C-alpha cells in the first residue's frame, strides 16, 4: 500500500501543522514516509500544499497522482482535483469553502464545526482534519494525541484536551462512512517507530555531531532551517549561533572563529553565497577550515525564493577569485546530508580548506523516514595543534612547508607561539611577500600538494539497479530519490541503473569503482538535472571528456516527480 | 615586564614621515602597559596602509580582506574571549568598504578595540577620496572635488551608542598612547579614531593643519553625557577636540551570551553523547 | 488631476491587518498630491515584505536585490534627475543588509525619498530579529533574546547630517501622508522611518504598543537644530515622538555635478567626434 | 635594432616618469615601443622597475635580457646586472648609490650633480637621466623638451627650463663617451609619430567612444587606471564617474543608471568582482545591459595586488548564482581592448546582458605603439526604445516575449509607458510570479532564445604563423604579444602558429574558421596560461572535449617574457 496525501490551502491555514503531524504519526507507526512542500513566498494567503506519501515499502520521492486530497480551501479543490487517482478521496469542509461539491470523490467533513463543538475553538479544525485522515486510513488517533502533548506542552492542558477532542471527533465523523472508505484502510506496518527527518535538520544535526561550535549566517530561504535547528541546540550544547548583519559578515565571522580554534560553519542560498565569494577566496588563501552549506533556490537574483533548483553547481566549483582547493558535497537524502556534513567538517579541518554542502529547497524541506543514524560513525579527529603539543613545539610557523602541503594549524593565544595569517601572498610565517619564488612555492603548497590527497578522500558515486545496464540515469544531489524510484519502475522493462554523485567535486578517483567504464559501457546515458544548462554534464565533460547521450532538465522551480521523470526518460528509452 | 622591543615586527613599507609610525609607536607602548605578552593579543586588520600594521608588530595576526576586519575580529573574540582582540584599520577600510560591519559591531558591543588610522584618504590605492575626506578635495577620481558630505565617525558612533568613542592624533604619540590605554582598559567596544597625516596623498590635512586645530577636551569634560558628546563630536573646523568623547557601561555581548558562562568556546568540547540524544526528537 | 486609483497596482500578498496597507494608502495619496503621473515616478526597492510595494502601485519600478535599493536608486537619479525617485524598503533591507549604502547615500545627498517600513523584524523570512528589534526580543534564531543594541535610525541619520529625517506611523495614514508629502517636497535625501506593525511576527510592537506611546513633536519644534534633533531622536520608551526631526539645506549632489548642468544625462548624447579628439593625447 | 631598457629604483624615485618619458619620445620618433612595469604594493621605497623596449620592428612583449639598465639605486644594479646582455650598459650615479662600480658595462653619470648645476634642483635628476639615455642612443633631446612643456605647463616656465637644461646636460655628458657608446646609436625610424597607449586607457577610450555615460567603481589595482582615465574625461564629454562606497554599490549603481537609459559600466579586480556576484546575477535576471571590466591580479584573496595573473576566467564564466547568458572578451593588446570594449557596449545593449572585458595588470599597464585607432569602426546603434518611437507604442511590457528573446528596452519617464523590472521571477509586465509555466517561458526567453544569437556575434580566434602548423600555441588575453614573438622566434626552425582567443565566451562558432580542425590537425598543441590550473584548457574541454598535448602555466604573479616562454616551449618541441 502506498498513498499520496496532499494537504492544500492558504499560507497561515496550518497546512504545515496538519501535514507534519500526519507524517509524524505515520513514521511512529512504523511506515515509510516521504513528504514534500510547495509554498509561496508570503506569510498569509496564496496557495500552498504539503504532500505526504506513506507506504509499507521504501518511498523516496513524491508522485503527481494523489489518493487523498485534504482541501482547506476551494483553490485546492480546483487546482488539485485533476491529479486525484480513480477512487481517490477529497476531504473538505463545505462550510469553509462555501460550496458543496457533488461526486463520489468528495467527503464533506465539518472541520470548523467539529472543532468548535469538541475543542471549543475553530482553530482546532486542523486537529479535526488530522483525525479525519487517520480515521479514513483506519489508524488510531492515540499517536497523534501523544504528539499533541509533546508539542503543545507550553500551551497548557486545556489546549491539549481541546485538540484531542477535536481530533477524535474527526476520526469518529469519518467512521460514519466506513463502507465507502474501507478501501483506504492501511494495514499495520508491524514495525517500531521510524526516524523522520528533513534535510535541513539533518545538516544541522550533522554539524552538531561534528563538534561545530560556531554558526554565523544571515536568514535566507531555504537555508534558514539549518540556522533555526542549530539555534535551538546552542544553549544546550555550547555553540554560538550568530545572525550576522549580512552574508559577508557571516562568512568572515566564521573564518575568525575558525582561526581562533573552533569548528565553524555558515549557510546561505545563492544570493547570499554570491556575497560570500570574497570570503571564500579568503578561506582559500589563509587556509582556514570552514564548512559552507549552500541551499539552492531558483535564480538568477531573487528568483523564486521558496522553490527548488540545482543551478549553482559550477558557481560553487569555480567561485571565488584566484585558485585554491575546495570540496563540494551534494547529498541526495537527509541521511547522506547528515554523514556528509560530518565528513565536510573532517576534510575542512584536515586539509584547511572550504568544504561545501550543496543542497536545495527540496533536500532541505523534504522529510524522509530513516532506519536511524549511526553515531558510531561520528569520529572526531582534532586536526589542530593545541594544548601541550603546541606548547612543546620548539618553533611555529603557520605556513610551514611540509610534504603534504598541510601546515600545522595552531590555536592562537594558547602558547607563546604566534599564529599569523594573511590574505596577501605570504611566507611561512604568514607575513606579506611579493617575490616570485615564495609565491610559487605557496601556490604549490596550497594547491598542487594538497589536491591529490584531497581527491583520494572522495567516495565513488552510488549505483542502484542493474549491474550491467543499457540505460544509466546520472545525477547528483536531491534527484537521488526520484531517480531511484524511476529505476524501480523502469527496471521491470529495461536494463537500467542509476549513478548518483553525492561527493561531486573533486570527482572521485576511479580506483575503487571504474564508474566512467560503467558509463561508457551503457548504450544510453541520461544526465538528470534540476537546472536549465546541464551543469553536472558540463563538469563531467570538463574533467573526463565524457558526453551524455541524453539530458533531462527541469528548470521551472519544481522538483522532478516520479511521473514527470519517467515521462521524459521514456523519450529516450522509447 | 615586556618592552616595546618585544613587540618589534617586520620592516615597515610605509613612506618616510607617514603618520602611521607615530601610531605604531604609541600602540607598542600601550601594549607594554597592559602587561600582556604578544601571544595573548590578536590584531585583526583589513587592507590598506593602516591595515599592514599587524606585520610590523609581534602578536597573533589575522590580516584579512579590505573592509572585513570587524566580522573576523568578532568571530575571534566570540570563539575565544580570553584573547585581547584589536582591530587596526583605515578610514576607507572601516568607514567605506566596511561601513555596515561597523554599525553592527557597535550594536553588538563585543570587547574589540578598534583603532582607525584616519588619514582622510585612500593611501594604498594612491589618493582617492575616503568617507572622511573634506568636501572639495580634488583627486584623480574626484576631479571636481569631493561632493559627498564628510563623514563624522565620532558622531556616528555616538548615535549608535558605542561604548567608548575617542579621537587621537598620530602626531602626538604620548597622548595617543594614553587614549589607547584607556580604550584597552575599557570594557566594551572601543572606537578610537586617529587623525593621521598621509604625506604622500593628503596635502590638505597635514601635520601642521592638524596641529593648528587640535585641542584636548577639557579636564572636567564628562564623557557620559551622550547628547553633549554628540555636540562636541560635531566640532570640526578651526578647532577640533581630541580625547575621550563618550563612554557608557553597556554590557558586553560575550558576557551576556549564556553559552560563554562555561569559559571560552575554544576550550569547550562538544559532548557527543549528549548531543546524540537530540536524535530522539526525530522519532 | 490624478486619483489614488490611477496608482492602483497588482493584488497584494501581505497578511490581513499588516501595517503595510496603511503605508500603501498614504503613499498613493501623497503621490496624488504631487500632481505627478505614474510614469514620472520610479520606485526602487530591495527584498522583503516592504520591498514588494512597487508591485502594488502603478509607477516605474526597479525591484532589485535585498539591501541594494539605494545604489540602484542613486544610479537612476543620476542618470535621469528629471525622474522622481522613491525607495521603499524594510528595516532589514535598509539598516541591515544595506547599512553601508545608507551611510553613503546620506552623505551624497541625491534627491531620493526613502521610506523605511520599520516593523522591527524580518517579515518575509519569518520573524528573525532586525537591527531595530528591541533588546530581549525572542525569535527562532535569537533564542536567548536579542543581545545587540537596538539601532536608532533617526539618530544615525542625524549624525550623518541627513537632509531630512522624520518618523511616521503606519497606523495613522493621514499624518503619514503629510510626512510623505513633506519628504517629497523637500529638496534633498529624505529618510522617513515608518513604524509598522507586523501582525504575524512582531507581537511586541503592536498597533496598541505604538499607539500608547507615539506623540507628535510639538508644533513649535525647530527641526533645524541638529543637536536638539539628536536629543529628541533618542527618546524611545514610554513616549516616542513622530514628525520631522531634522532638516537642512545641504546642496543636492546632482545640482553640484557640473556634468548635469546641461540637463539629465539620459538626454545628453556623446559627441563622438569631439570624444575622438582625445586620441591625440596618446601621440 | 631592438633595445630593452630597464629603469629601476625605489617607489617615489620617479621611475615611472623616466620610463614613461622615454617611451613617449621613442613613439614620437616613430619607433615601435613596448613597455612593462613591475612594482610593489607600496608608495615609497621597495624596488620597482619600468622596462622600455624600442625597435625598428614591431615589438609586443618584454624580454628578460637587457641592453641598458638605468639604475636609480644600488639594488637595481645588484638585482638586474645578471640580465644585462654582453656589451650592455649600466647607467648610474655613483654619488647617489654611494659606490663606484668597476667594469666596462658601467657608466657613471652624476645625475644629481648635473640636475643641481643645470636645473637648480636635484629633483631634476630624472630629466638628466632621460637626457643621458637619449644621448646614449644618439637621439635628439628636443622631443623630450616638447613633452616637458606639455606635461609641466601648470608648474610654470622656470620648472620647464630647469628640466630642459638638466636633460640637455645629461645628453651632453654622455657624448663625452661617444666612442664607447657608438654601438648604441639608434638609426632614425624614418616614420612619423606613433600612437602609444596602455591597456587601461584603451579600455577607457573605448568606453568613451561607445557613448558610456556612467562609470561607477571602487578603487582597486589594477582597474583604477580605467576609472582615472574616465574621470579625466567626465566634464569634457558629459559622463558621470562615481566612486561608490563598495563594489556592491558600484555594480548596483551602474545597473540603476542603465535602467534609467544610459550606457553604464563598472570596473574592478578579482576581490571586488567577487563582491559583485549578486549584482551580476541581478543584471542577468532583470536583463539590464552592463559592461564590466575585470582586471585580474594574482589571488586568492588580496594576493599580489600589483602583479598579474589570468586566474579568474572560469569564475567569470560561471559567476553569479542561477543561469543567464553573458559574454566574456579577453583582449590581448590595447588595440583589441579598445575595439572589444566598443563591441562589449554594443552586445550588452543589443541583448540586454552583462558583457565582460577581462584583462589583467599586464594588459592594463603595458604600453604599446599602434598605427592609430579607426574611429570609423565606432558605430553606435541605440538599441533602446526612446522618444517618439516609445511614445507611439500602443502598449509596453518590459519583458514582452519575442522571437529573439530580446524585449524592447524602454526609457522610464520619457513616455506614459511604465518600465517595471524585477529581481524575482516575473511576467512580461515585470511583476512577481511564482507559477511554473511563466517561469519556464522566462528562462527560455532569457537563456535559450538569446544564446544562439549571441554566439553568432562572437568572432573567431586570431592565428599567426604557419598555415598548417605542427605546433600550435594557444592562449587568450594578455599572452597575445609574447606568444606572437615566440612564434616569430620558433618559426625559423619549427612549423608553428599561434591561436589567440580574444572573444572567449561563448566560444566562437566554427562556421567561418574551423579552428578546432586547425587544432586537431596539429601534432603538438600547447595551452599557455598565466595561471596554475589551466582554466582555458578546461573551458575548451568542457565545450568541445578537446585535450591539449601540453600546458605551460606561470603563476608567480609575473607575465611570460619571450625568453621564459620559449624555454618552456622547447620542452615540448625538443
Ligand atoms: C574588495 C577590495 N576592493 C578594493 C581594494 C583595494 N584597496 C586596497 S586598500 C584600499 C583603500 C585603503 O584606504 P584606507 O582604508 O583609508 O587605508 P590607507 O591606505 O589610507 O591607510 C583599497 C580601495 C581591495 N583590496 N579589496
Ligand atoms: C542576499 C540576500 N540575503 C537574504 C535574503 C533573504 N531575505 C529576504 S527579505 C529578508 C529580510 C526582510 O526584512 P525587512 O527588510 O525588515 O523586510 P520585511 O519583510 O520585514 O518588510 C531577508 C533576510 C535575500 N533575499 N537576499
Ligand atoms: S601613502 Fe600615505 S598613508 Fe600610505 S604610507 Fe605613505 S604617507 Fe603613509
Ligand atoms: S509578515 Fe508581517 S510585515 Fe509581512 S505581510 Fe505579514 S504582517 Fe506584514
Ligand atoms: Mg586612509
Ligand atoms: Mg522588517
Amino acid at each position: 500500500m502506498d498513498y499520496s496525501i496532499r494537504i492544500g490551502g492558504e499560507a497561515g491555514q496550518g497546512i504545515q501543522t496538519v501535514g507534519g503531524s500526519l507524517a509524524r504519526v505515520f513514521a511512529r507507526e512504523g511506515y515509510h514516509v516521504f513528504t514534500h512542500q510547495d509554498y509561496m513566498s508570503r506569510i498569509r494567503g496564496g496557495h500552498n500544499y504539503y504532500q505526504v506519501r506513506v507506504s509499507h515499502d521504501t518511498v523516496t520521492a513524491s508522485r503527481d497522482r494523489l489518493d487523498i486530497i485534504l482541501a482547506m480551501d476551494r483553490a485546492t479543490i480546483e487546482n488539485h482535483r485533476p491529479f486525484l487517482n480513480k477512487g481517490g478521496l477529497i476531504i473538505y469542509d463545505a462550510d469553509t469553502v462555501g460550496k458543496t461539491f457533488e461526486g463520489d470523490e468528495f467527503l464533506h467533513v465539518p472541520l470548523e464545526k467539529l472543532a468548535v463543538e469538541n475543542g471549543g475553538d475553530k482553530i482546532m479544525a486542523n486537529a479535526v482534519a488530522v483525525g479525519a485522515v487517520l480515521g479514513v486510513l483506519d489508524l488510531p488517533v492515540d499517536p497523534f494525541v501523544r504528539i499533541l502533548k509533546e508539542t503543545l506542552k507550553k500551551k497548557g492542558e486545556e489546549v491539549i484536551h481541546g485538540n484531542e477532542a477535536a481530533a477524535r471527533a474527526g476520526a469518529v465523523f469519518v467512521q460514519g462512512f466506513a463502507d465507502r472508505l474501507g478501501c483506504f484502510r492501511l494495514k499495520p506496518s508491524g514495525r517500531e517507530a521510524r526516524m523522520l527527518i528533513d534535510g535541513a535538520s539533518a545538516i544541522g544535526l550533522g554539524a552538531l555531531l561534528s563538534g561545530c561550535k560556531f554558526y554565523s549566517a544571515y536568514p535566507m530561504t531555504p537555508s534558514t532551517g539549518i540556522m533555526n535547528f542549530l539555534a535551538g541546540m546552542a544553549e544546550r550544547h555550547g555553540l554560538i549561533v550568530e545572525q550576522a548583519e549580512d552574508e559577508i559578515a557571516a562568512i568572515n565571522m566564521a573564518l575568525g572563529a575558525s582561526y581562533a580554534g573552533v569548528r565553524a560553519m555558515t549557510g546561505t542560498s545563492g544570493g547570499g553565497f554570491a556575497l560570500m565569494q570574497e570570503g571564500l577566496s579568503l578561506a582559500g588563501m589563509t587556509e582556514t577550515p570552514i564548512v559552507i552549506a549552500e541551499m539552492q533556490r531558483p535564480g538568477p537574483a531573487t528568483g523564486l525564493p521558496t522553490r527548488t533548483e540545482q543551478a549553482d553547481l559550477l558557481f560553487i566549483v569555480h567561485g571565488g577569485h584566484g585558485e585554491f582547493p575546495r570540496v563540494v558535497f551534494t547529498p541526495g537524502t537527509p541521511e547522506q546530508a547528515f554523514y556528509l556534513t560530518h565528513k565536510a567538517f573532517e576534510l575542512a579541518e584536515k586539509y584547511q580548506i572550504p568544504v561545501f554542502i550543496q543542497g536545495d529547497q527540496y533536500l532541505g524541506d523534504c522529510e524522509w523516514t530513516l532506519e536511524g543514524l549511526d553515531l558510531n560513525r561520528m569520529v572526531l579527529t582534532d586536526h589542530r595543534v593545541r594544548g601541550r603539543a603546541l606548547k612543546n613545539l620548539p618553533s611555529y610557523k603557520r605556513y610551514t612547508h611540509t610534504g603534504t602541503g598541510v601546515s600545522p594549524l595552531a590555536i592562537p593565544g594558547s602558547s607563546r607561539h604566534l599564529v599569523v595569517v594573511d590574505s596577501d601572498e605570504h611566507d611561512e610565517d604568514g607575513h606579506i611577500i611579493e617575490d616570485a619564488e615564495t609565491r610559487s612555492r605557496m601556490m604549490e603548497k596550497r594547491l598542487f600538494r594538497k589536491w591529490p590527497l584531497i581527491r583520494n578522500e572522495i567516495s565513488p558515486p552510488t549505483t542502484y539497479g542493474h549491474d550491467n545496464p543499457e540505460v544509466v540515469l546520472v545525477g547528483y544531489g536531491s534527484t537521488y530519490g526520484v531517480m531511484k524510484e524511476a529505476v524501480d519502475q523502469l527496471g521491470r522493462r529495461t536494463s537500467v541503473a542509476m549513478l548518483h554523485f553525492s561527493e561531486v567535486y573533486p570527482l572521485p578517483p576511479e580506483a575503487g569503482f571504474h564508474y566512467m567504464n560503467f558509463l561508457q559501457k551503457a548504450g544510453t546515458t541520461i544526465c538528470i538535472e534540476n537546472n536549465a544548462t546541464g551543469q553536472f554534464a558540463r563538469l563531467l565533460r570538463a574533467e573526463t571528456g565524457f558526453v551524455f547521450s541524453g539530458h533531462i532538465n527541469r528548470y521551472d522551480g519544481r522538483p522532478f516527480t516520479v511521473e514527470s521523470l519517467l515521462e521524459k526518460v521514456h523519450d529516450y528509452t522509447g | 615586564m615586556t618592552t616595546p622591543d618585544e613587540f618589534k615586527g617586520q620592516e615597515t613599507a610605509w613612506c618616510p614621515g607617514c603618520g602611521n609610525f607615530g601610531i605604531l609607536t604609541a600602540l607598542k607602548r600601550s601594549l607594554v602597559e597592559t602587561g600582556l605578552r604578544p601571544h595573548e593579543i590578536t590584531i585583526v586588520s583589513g587592507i590598506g596602509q593602516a591595515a599592514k600594521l599587524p606585520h610590523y608588530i609581534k602578536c597573533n595576526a589575522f590580516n584579512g580582506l579590505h573592509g572585513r576586519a570587524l566580522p573576523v575580529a568578532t568571530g575571534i573574540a566570540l570563539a575565544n574571549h580570553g584573547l585581547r582582540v584589536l582591530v587596526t584599520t583605515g578610514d576607507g577600510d572601516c568607514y567605506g568598504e566596511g561601513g555596515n560591519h561597523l554599525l553592527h559591531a557597535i550594536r553588538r558591543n563585543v570587547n574589540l578595540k578598534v583603532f582607525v588610522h584616519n588619514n582622510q584618504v585612500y593611501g594604498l590605492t594612491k589618493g582617492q577620496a575616503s568617507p572622511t575626506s573634506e568636501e572639495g578635495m580634488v583627486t584623480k577620481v574626484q576631479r571636481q572635488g569631493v561632493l559627498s558630505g564628510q563623514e563624522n565617525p565620532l558622531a556616528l558612533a555616538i548615535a549608535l551608542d558605542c561604548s567608548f568613542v575617542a579621537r587621537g592624533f598620530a602626531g602626538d604619540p604620548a597622548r595617543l598612547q594614553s587614549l589607547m590605554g584607556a580604550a584597552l582598559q575599557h570594557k566594551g567596544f572601543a572606537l578610537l579614531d586617529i587623525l593621521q597625516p598621509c604625506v604622500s596623498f593628503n596635502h590638505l590635512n597635514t601635520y601642521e593643519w592638524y596641529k593648528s586645530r587640535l585641542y584636548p577636551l577639557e579636564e572636567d569634560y564628562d564623557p557620559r553625557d551622550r547628547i553633549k558628546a554628540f555636540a562636541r563630536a560635531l566640532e570640526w573646523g578651526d578647532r577640533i577636540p581630541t580625547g575621550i568623547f563618550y563612554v557608557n557601561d553597556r554590557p558586553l555581548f560575550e558576557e551576556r551570551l549564556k553559552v560563554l558562562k562555561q569559559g571560552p568556546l575554544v576550550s569547550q568540547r562538544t559532548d557527543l553523547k549528549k548531543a546524540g540524544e537530540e536524535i530522539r526528537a526525530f522519532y
Side-chain angles (χ1 to χ4, degrees), chain A, chain B:
Chain A
M1 249 163 282
D2 178 353
Y3 292 136
S4 288
I5 306 168
R6 188 175 284 178
I7 302 103
E10 292 184 8
Q13 282 193 308
I15 309 300
Q16 264 184 315
T17 315
V18 175
S21 301
L22 285 172
R24 181 62 69 93
V25 170
F26 298 150
R28 288 211 174 159
E29 292 296 290
Y31 299 101
H32 290 272
V33 178
F34 182 91
T35 78
H36 110 253
Q37 297 180 49
D38 184 291
Y39 53 96
M40 296 183 77
S41 182
R42 57 190 289 171
I43 306 304
R44 297 263 178 273
H47 185 72
N48 296 353
Y49 69 80
Y50 195 110
Q51 186 159 332
V52 184
R53 194 167 157 203
V54 53
S55 171
H56 285 96
D57 301 313
T58 310
V59 283
T60 65
S62 275
R63 291 163 162 275
D64 287 329
R65 307 299 311 174
L66 306 170
D67 300 291
I68 299 176
I69 294 173
L70 176 59
M72 308 297 274
D73 65 358
R74 198 141 146 187
T76 303
I77 299 178
E78 281 150 12
N79 296 344
H80 303 303
R81 190 176 174 183
F83 298 101
L84 196 69
N85 277 322
K86 239 188 131 110
L89 186 72
I90 300 180
I91 301 176
Y92 78 115
D93 179 349
D95 305 333
T96 33
V97 310
K99 183 175 164 185
T100 305
F101 286 84
E102 302 296 330
D104 281 354
E105 68 267 46
F106 289 99
L107 176 67
H108 157 64
V109 181
L111 301 173
E112 273 196 20
K113 191 161 152 264
L114 291 175
V116 174
E117 287 174 7
N118 297 276
D121 190 341
K122 74 176 184 180
I123 209 174
M124 293 169 188
N126 288 334
V128 180
V130 173
V133 174
L134 293 176
V136 167
L137 298 171
D138 199 21
L139 289 178
V141 178
D142 294 350
F144 176 54
V145 173
R146 275 195 298 277
I147 290 170
L148 285 171
K149 283 184 181 150
E150 289 159 25
T151 53
L152 298 177
K153 206 186 300 175
K154 282 200 193 131
K155 304 223 164 158
E157 285 294 309
E158 205 173 327
V159 176
I160 294 174
H161 284 313
N163 275 283
E164 173 174 354
R168 295 202 191 278
V172 168
F173 181 86
V174 300
Q175 271 148 23
F177 303 86
D179 286 356
R180 151 99 176 72
L181 301 175
C183 54
F184 287 104
R185 182 168 183 270
L186 202 54
K187 269 188 289 183
S189 74
R191 246 207 57 131
E192 301 220 325
R194 289 180 190 277
M195 183 172 180
L196 180 77
I197 192 168
D198 57 285
S201 299
I203 293 171
L205 202 55
L208 176 67
L209 285 166
S210 304
C212 176
K213 284 279 167 196
F214 192 91
Y215 187 87
S216 45
Y218 188 79
M220 186 162 193
T221 311
S223 67
T224 315
I226 304 171
M227 181 156 54
N228 287 344
F229 177 86
L230 287 173
M233 297 297 120
E235 217 178 302
R236 232 164 22 249
H237 300 288
L239 64 155
I240 291 180
V241 174
E242 177 60 7
Q243 181 176 317
E245 54 272 25
D246 55 31
E247 289 84 351
I248 303 173
I251 189 168
N252 277 283
M253 270 184 206
L255 290 172
S258 178
Y259 161 83
V262 304
R263 290 194 162 187
M265 177 174 180
T266 184
T268 184
S269 182
F273 179 60
L275 290 165
M276 291 186 182
Q277 295 302 302
E278 200 192 11
L280 170 61
S281 187
L282 177 65
M285 184 53 127
T286 56
E287 302 183 61
T288 307
I290 185 169
V291 174
I292 304 169
E294 199 245 357
M295 302 300 279
Q296 299 160 101
R297 66 192 215 189
T302 309
L304 293 167
T306 58
R307 313 285 166 171
T308 201
E309 192 170 74
Q310 297 185 297
D312 299 344
L313 176 65
L314 292 174
F315 184 30
I316 279 208
V317 167
H318 300 110
H321 58 295
E323 296 168 303
F324 52 92
R326 77 197 70 194
V327 167
V328 185
F329 292 149
T330 49
T333 70
E335 191 173 359
Q336 289 181 355
F338 175 77
Y339 292 117
L340 286 175
T341 302
H342 187 67
K343 185 166 179 179
F345 275 96
E346 163 74 11
L347 295 190
E349 192 169 272
K350 184 167 177 190
Y351 296 103
Q352 304 172 22
I353 54 170
V355 180
F356 292 94
I357 299 291
Q358 189 179 40
D360 49 30
Q361 179 266 329
Y362 189 67
L363 174 80
D365 285 344
C366 287
E367 293 160 303
W368 297 52
T369 35
L370 309 185
E371 295 305 310
L373 293 172
D374 182 2
L375 294 188
N376 293 324
R377 284 174 62 186
M378 303 288 106
V379 185
L380 295 200
T381 315
D382 185 0
H383 296 282
R384 301 181 190 250
V385 195
R386 59 175 104 218
R388 188 169 305 267
L390 179 56
K391 287 207 178 83
N392 290 344
L393 286 184
S395 72
Y396 177 76
K397 290 168 190 270
R398 172 66 188 90
Y399 299 110
T400 311
H401 286 297
T402 64
T404 58
V406 179
S407 312
L409 181 59
I411 310 289
S414 66
S415 76
R416 81 204 131 77
H417 298 304
L418 301 183
V419 185
V420 178
V421 305
D422 188 6
S423 76
D424 297 274
E425 192 55 277
H426 43 254
D427 57 19
E428 290 182 84
D429 281 313
H431 290 298
I432 304 186
I433 61 89
E434 299 205 26
D435 69 290
E437 199 188 325
T438 311
R439 158 74 176 177
S440 298
R441 287 196 68 199
M442 277 295 158
M443 284 293 283
E444 283 148 20
K445 161 187 152 49
R446 280 193 298 266
L447 196 54
F448 297 138
R449 248 172 303 153
K450 285 185 190 175
W451 194 236
L453 305 177
I454 292 169
R455 196 165 175 218
N456 254 326
E457 303 270 3
I458 306 302
S459 305
T462 313
T463 54
Y464 179 76
H466 208 283
D467 279 349
N468 209 350
E470 278 159 38
V471 179
V472 185
L473 308 184
V474 181
Y476 68 104
S478 68
T479 50
Y480 176 93
V482 74
M483 290 203 303
K484 186 161 172 282
E485 294 218 7
V487 168
D488 283 332
Q489 303 265 326
L490 289 163
R492 300 182 196 145
R493 294 168 294 118
T494 330
S495 135
V496 60
M498 134 176 130
L499 189 67
H500 179 269
F501 290 79
S502 60
E503 307 192 16
V504 82
Y505 188 80
L507 281 183
E510 291 208 60
F513 166 32
H514 296 279
Y515 57 88
M516 290 311 301
N517 265 14
F518 184 80
L519 272 181
Q520 268 137 6
K521 281 188 313 189
T524 305
T525 53
I526 309 174
C527 191
I528 293 158
E529 306 192 46
N530 227 162
N531 61 38
T533 62
Q535 301 196 14
F536 178 76
R538 190 178 161 94
L539 178 66
L540 201 68
R541 190 173 193 195
E543 297 275 338
T544 68
F546 184 80
V547 176
F548 285 96
S549 57
H551 298 268
I552 296 177
N553 294 76
R554 181 162 191 171
Y555 46 84
D556 62 359
R558 273 66 180 174
F560 290 103
T561 54
V562 180
E563 295 92 332
S564 67
L565 179 58
L566 280 174
E567 197 187 302
K568 301 275 184 171
V569 173
H570 284 314
D571 291 349
Y572 288 99
T573 57
Chain B
M1 252 285 293
T2 55
T3 65
D5 262 7
E6 202 176 336
F7 287 100
K8 193 164 184 290
Q10 309 284 107
E11 234 177 76
T12 62
W14 290 321
C15 311
C18 174
N20 279 324
F21 291 105
I23 302 178
L24 180 59
T25 305
L27 179 61
K28 280 187 194 158
R29 290 194 193 140
S30 68
L31 290 180
V32 168
E33 270 180 4
T34 62
L36 293 168
R37 306 293 304 272
H39 72 268
E40 294 168 304
I41 299 160
T42 300
I43 307 197
V44 183
S45 75
I47 296 295
Q49 298 287 17
K52 288 180 183 172
L53 183 139
H55 298 280
Y56 307 148
I57 199 164
K58 233 179 74 190
C59 292
N60 297 301
F62 192 121
N63 180 0
L65 299 168
H66 183 49
R68 315 301 168 190
L70 283 172
V72 170
T74 302
I76 296 172
L78 294 184
N80 186 354
H81 64 274
L83 277 175
R84 190 64 63 96
V85 186
L86 277 64
V87 173
T88 169
T89 173
D91 42 333
D93 208 37
C94 191
Y95 306 139
E97 184 89 43
N100 202 33
H101 309 309
L102 179 64
L103 300 186
H104 300 283
I106 291 177
R107 291 181 48 231
R108 243 179 232 110
N109 200 34
V110 170
N111 197 22
L112 304 175
K113 311 301 158 192
V114 183
F115 299 158
V116 186
H117 303 209
N118 182 0
N119 56 6
Q120 305 188 242
V121 77
Y122 282 13
L124 190 61
T125 49
K126 305 197 171 175
Q128 301 83 6
S130 90
T132 54
S133 292
E134 311 235 336
E135 280 189 51
M137 172 165 144
V138 173
T139 81
K140 276 196 184 170
V141 170
Q142 286 73 26
R143 296 287 178 125
Q144 203 197 308
V146 172
L147 300 182
S148 286
Q150 183 178 17
E151 182 172 311
N152 183 325
L154 305 195
L156 181 80
I158 294 164
L160 290 158
D161 207 17
C162 181
S163 187
F164 177 103
V165 182
R167 178 187 284 136
F169 175 45
D172 184 353
R175 213 171 119 71
L176 181 57
Q177 178 189 340
S178 82
L179 290 171
M180 287 175 165
L184 284 162
Q185 268 177 10
H186 176 80
K187 207 177 81 181
F189 186 96
L191 180 77
L192 172 57
D193 185 75
I194 306 168
L195 299 172
Q196 173 231 323
C198 165
V199 297
S200 290
F201 295 112
N202 190 336
H203 303 301
L204 216 60
N205 310 104
T206 59
Y207 282 98
E208 292 63 43
W209 192 96
Y210 288 124
K211 281 198 178 136
S212 68
R213 284 166 175 79
L214 297 180
Y215 75 97
L217 284 167
E218 303 72 31
E219 288 280 316
D220 62 353
Y221 171 81
D222 173 16
R224 303 222 155 234
D225 183 331
R226 190 163 165 202
I227 292 164
K228 283 228 184 80
F230 184 75
R232 297 305 293 269
L234 295 188
E235 277 185 43
W236 181 277
D238 288 347
R239 290 181 45 79
I240 300 173
T242 60
I244 301 172
F245 284 70
Y246 180 61
V247 166
N248 67 34
D249 293 326
R250 286 177 54 201
L252 275 186
F253 192 87
E254 49 273 51
E255 284 185 357
R256 296 173 82 180
L257 254 184
K258 286 192 202 153
V259 166
L260 297 185
K261 297 260 183 280
Q262 292 127 53
L265 202 63
V266 69
S267 31
Q268 294 183 32
R269 288 277 151 280
T270 302
D271 178 342
L272 278 194
K273 204 155 154 249
K274 185 172 154 215
E277 284 163 18
E278 298 295 344
I279 290 182
R280 267 197 256 145
F282 294 94
Y283 278 91

